[in-house]
Amino acid sequence: MRQIKFRGLRVDGKGWVYGYYSFEFERGYHSESMDDVPPRCSYISNDSDCFEVDSGSVEQFTGLKDKNGVDIYEGDILKAHGEVVWNKEEYRWSCIDLNWNDKREVHDLDYLTSEFEVIGSIHENKN
């Protein structure tokens, strides 16, 4: 069974924190679909502490590790493959090929043949 965990960048600028995700919405906000509602505050808690994190930086663990044993998260950049994303149409983790200018080439992580290697994340490698 896959471990459910998240990471996010701390709002105090002290890097990533890993653990459980929770959030708060603005009071009185109502929507038919919560997909388009940004949280007011996001938190990641581990076994001993809770930290406020940038809501836009929260990423989920895919359940996969790279060839070096590093956990692969949504938003990670994989060498020779691209950005890890959740494919809503097929309900699986995929990779957007960053070598294409239109970013439409999508590969399912299950079918990529070479070994994965995390070389950064979209939050650390902003180009």
Side-chain angles (χ1 to χ4, degrees), residues 1 38 41 43 71 83 106:
M1 182 168 235
C41 297
Y43 304 94
D71 291 347
E83 177 187 345
V106 177

Side-chain angles (χ1 to χ4, degrees), residues 34-101:
M34 297 309 280
D35 290 340
D36 60 346
V37 181
R40 182 177 68 83
C41 297
S42 292
Y43 304 94
I44 301 284
S45 57
N46 54 33
D47 293 334
S48 59
D49 292 308
C50 182
F51 302 93
E52 186 174 356
V53 296
D54 175 3
S55 297
S57 73
V58 176
E59 300 166 337
Q60 186 173 352
F61 176 50
T62 64
L64 301 171
K65 293 183 181 284
D66 78 356
K67 69 180 188 177
N68 301 312
V70 174
D71 291 347
I72 300 174
Y73 283 82
E74 171 185 16
D76 275 344
I77 306 295
L78 303 180
K79 183 176 183 178
H81 292 295
E83 177 187 345
V84 177
V85 296
W86 177 249
N87 186 330
K88 292 180 182 180
E89 290 78 32
E90 297 188 19
Y91 303 104
R92 65 175 65 193
W93 292 107
S94 297
C95 204
I96 297 175
D97 188 338
L98 297 177
N99 295 320
W100 292 91
N101 290 333

Side-chain angles (χ1 to χ4, degrees), residues 25-29 40:
F25 288 112
E26 293 289 342
R27 289 185 181 209
Y29 195 94
R40 182 177 68 83

